[in-house]
């Protein structure tokens, strides 16, 4: 193990390390902690200039209550859910199939199609912006959740295919050969042999895509406009316009907007990290 | 495994043609929906953008063919060079996330109690949306009440209006971007360090290697796959930077914090007018820059595939 395990070093260094850990963490999360403190302060603290002192009273319930009952925040959150969940389902379903096709079958253009997905996944969003916006307008889907979902599904299929194909490649190929010898139809091999083995990959991809889509901002402002379809990342700017200079409310709003992916991460940590670091180890 | 399969009551081979060609056709059936979607929303739009960049178009009326005029205008556009320069700054400085992530990963790669929670909390910034990161850092930099100025104020310095000063603004935004990116690189290296061969480390230790030499000659070569991925995601992240700029400064002050991705959006879809053709021309330039890296990534992957 590298660096040298701390248990094997001197007692003083061990204690120093134990003390350094929380200190480093606080430093690392300082900007965020500041916002958390802001979000429970009363408004009066900001007018009296008590920015960094102890909150003069605990107003957490009040502030977060206003975010939920006094603004469009719940609406935006719901929009985000209705955009994120269908995208996750769509992209994972499509890429299970493309990943299966590219991971199992040998045909001439296999690697080229795979590279098309990988390359497409890396392009800058701006090269797609004008045509995709135009396309969405033409289909009458501008400023709808569906328009956003369809694009996200298509774009995320690139990354998901890369992921699924590499995962399926690592499965034992003998299983498929054995099934073929038994005379089982190819689509049955997919459904009954490969899909059950892909559960960990599906879980990992789902949490990853959930986070990516929830946090998307660019496409949200390009393809949607109003409270009826904008997700929370775009909605937070109108929220901040509503509560201009009310820092305690803006902080509470930001924390609410950031929370769902954070909760997802802590609940599914193992899958999340397995997904992010696929390929980081040989 | 096969015992779990249901009775194969599927239609007996009535069409022997399907039987013979099943393995040849199946992959295309599985690929069809994915390829159609991807081609429709990603591949074709790339070519359409190239096409639009030769037109003068407001997004609604008729497009007028203007040849390379958009590119000529770009050549004389100061804002374009400011954006390009800032893109370069982003690319270079964003790479600091890689050594930064490695450093934190080395710091946290221990087995004391509670270390798992520490690792998760250090990773935290990556999970939060860039919009929130942007807001958090905007307040952090605020000249009247921001934490940064409170801190340097106790040393008798400041106040600095980071986001209002054209000399500091891009660096300030990049620093905000480095925060989640470093967390990402950290998690890549933590996973990589987990898989480092302990026997090699012990052998090197017996040979007297330690500290920086051990890191350089024994550990880093084994972390190569992690470094490659960290490099890919950091480059892509740097060239995609948009959210932070839009949230923190909206390109200002005086357009000094623009990058190509933001400038393109501003030209094509904001109060500055709807110049789709000019925007597309900027997007094409950004795409060509990205293409250099994409080609390199694909080439690396191709080498890898061949050795398998």
């Amino acid at each position: 193990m590298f660096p040298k395990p701390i248990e094997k070093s001197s007692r003083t260094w061990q204690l120093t390390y134990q003390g350094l850990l929380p200190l480093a963490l606080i430093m690392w999360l300082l900007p965020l902690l500041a916002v958390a403190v802001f979000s429970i302060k009363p408004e009066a603290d900001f007018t009296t200039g008590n920015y960094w002192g102890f909150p003069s009273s605990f107003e957490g319930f009040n502030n977060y209550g206003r975010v939920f009952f006094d603004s469009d925040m719940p609406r935006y959150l719901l929009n985000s859910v209705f955009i994120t969940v269908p995208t996750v389902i769509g992209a994972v379903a499509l890429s299970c199939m493309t990943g299966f096709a590219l991971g199992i079958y040998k045909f001439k253009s296999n690697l080229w199609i795979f590279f098309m997905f990988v390359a497409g996944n890396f392009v800058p969003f701006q090269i797609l912006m004008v045509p995709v916006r135009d396309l969405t307008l033409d289909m009458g889907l501008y400023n709808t959740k569906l328009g956003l979902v369809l694009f996200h599904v298509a774009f995320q299929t690139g990354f998901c295919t890369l992921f699924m194909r590499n995962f399926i490649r690592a499965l034992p190929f003998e299983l498929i050969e054995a099934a073929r010898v038994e005379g089982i139809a190819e689509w049955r091999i997919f459904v009954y042999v490969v899909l059950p083995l892909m559960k960990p990959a599906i879980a990992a991809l789902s949490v990853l895509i959930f986070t990516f889509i929830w946090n998307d901002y660019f496409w949200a402002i390009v393809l949607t406009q109003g409270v009826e379809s904008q997700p929370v990342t775009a909605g937070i700017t109108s929220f901040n316009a509503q509560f201009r200079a009310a820092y305690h409310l803006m902080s509470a709003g930001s924390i609410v907007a950031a929370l769902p992916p954070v909760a997802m991460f802590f609940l599914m940590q193992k899958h999340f990290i397995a997904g992010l670091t696929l390929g980081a180890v040989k | 495994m096969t015992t779990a399969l249901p009775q194969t009551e599927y239609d007996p081979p009535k069409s022997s043609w399907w039987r013979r060609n099943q393995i040849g056709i199946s992959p295309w059936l599985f690929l069809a929906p994915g390829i159609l979607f991807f081609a429709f929303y990603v591949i074709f739009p790339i070519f359409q953008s190239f096409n639009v960049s030769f037109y003068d178009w407001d997004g609604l009326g008729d497009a007028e063919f203007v040849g390379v005029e958009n590119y000529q205008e770009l050549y004389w556009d100061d804002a374009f060079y400011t954006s390009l320069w800032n893109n370069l700054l982003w690319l270079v400085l964003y790479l600091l996330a890689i050594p930064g992530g490695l450093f934190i990963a080395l710091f946290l790669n221990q087995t004391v109690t509670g270390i798992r929670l520490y690792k998760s909390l250090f990773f935290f910034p990556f999970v939060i949306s860039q919009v929130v990161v942007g807001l958090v850092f905007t307040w952090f930099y605020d000249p009247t009440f921001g934490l940064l100025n409170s801190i340097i104020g106790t040393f008798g310095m400041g106040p600095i209006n980071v986001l209002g000063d054209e000399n500091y603004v891009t660096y300030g935004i990049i620093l905000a971007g480095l925060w989640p990116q470093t967390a990402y690189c950290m998690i890549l290296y933590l996973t990589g360090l987990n898989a480092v061969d302990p026997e090699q480390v012990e052998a090197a230790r017996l040979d007297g290697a330690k500290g920086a030499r051990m890191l350089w000659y024994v550990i880093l070569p084994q972390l190569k796959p992690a470094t490659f991925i960290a490099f890919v995601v950091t480059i892509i992240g740097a060239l995609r930077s948009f959210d932070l700029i839009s949230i923190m400064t909206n390109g200002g002050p005086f357009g000094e914090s623009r990058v190509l991705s933001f400038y393109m959006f501003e030209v094509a879809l904001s109060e500055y007018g709807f110049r789709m053709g000019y925007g597309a021309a900027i997007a094409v330039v950004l795409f060509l820059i990205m293409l250099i890296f994409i080609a390199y990534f694909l080439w690396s992957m191709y080498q890898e595939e061949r050795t398998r």
Side-chain angles (χ1 to χ4, degrees), chain A residues 2 17 28 52 127 186 269, chain B residues 22 49 107 109 120 122 145:
Chain A
F2 184 84
Y17 182 75
W28 183 243
W52 296 109
I127 192 89
E186 295 294 315
Q269 211 182 119
Chain B
Q22 195 187 173
S49 270
F107 176 65
N109 195 33
S120 317
F122 265 91
F145 66 83

Side-chain angles (χ1 to χ4, degrees), chain B residues 218-288:
Chain B
V218 183
I219 307 296
L220 276 185
Q222 295 192 55
L223 290 177
K224 229 176 136 190
T227 306
F228 178 71
I229 296 189
F231 184 70
V232 172
V233 294
T234 305
I235 295 280
I236 300 290
L239 287 174
R240 281 216 175 131
S241 53
F242 173 89
D243 301 3
L244 288 175
I245 297 163
S246 169
I247 292 291
M248 292 175 78
T249 62
N250 210 9
F254 318 115
E256 284 298 322
S257 61
R258 287 180 185 131
V259 294
L260 288 179
S261 61
F262 183 80
Y263 187 43
M264 183 274 168
F265 176 82
E266 210 176 48
V267 166
L269 267 194
S270 74
E271 65 265 37
Y272 293 91
F274 284 70
R275 300 190 58 200
M276 299 292 174
Y278 195 48
I282 301 171
V284 165
V285 173
L286 181 62
F287 176 74
L288 293 178

Side-chain angles (χ1 to χ4, degrees), chain B residues 38-73:
Chain B
F38 201 69
F40 186 68
Y41 266 117
V42 182
I43 303 299
F44 289 138
I46 294 175
F47 293 103
Q48 280 173 309
S49 270
F50 270 89
N51 186 36
V52 170
S53 74
F54 296 112
Y55 284 86
D56 186 17
W57 187 39
D58 62 0
L60 294 168
D62 289 328
E64 185 198 343
F65 184 81
V66 292
V68 292
E69 255 175 50
N70 285 323
Y71 292 95
Q72 275 170 346
E73 187 180 342

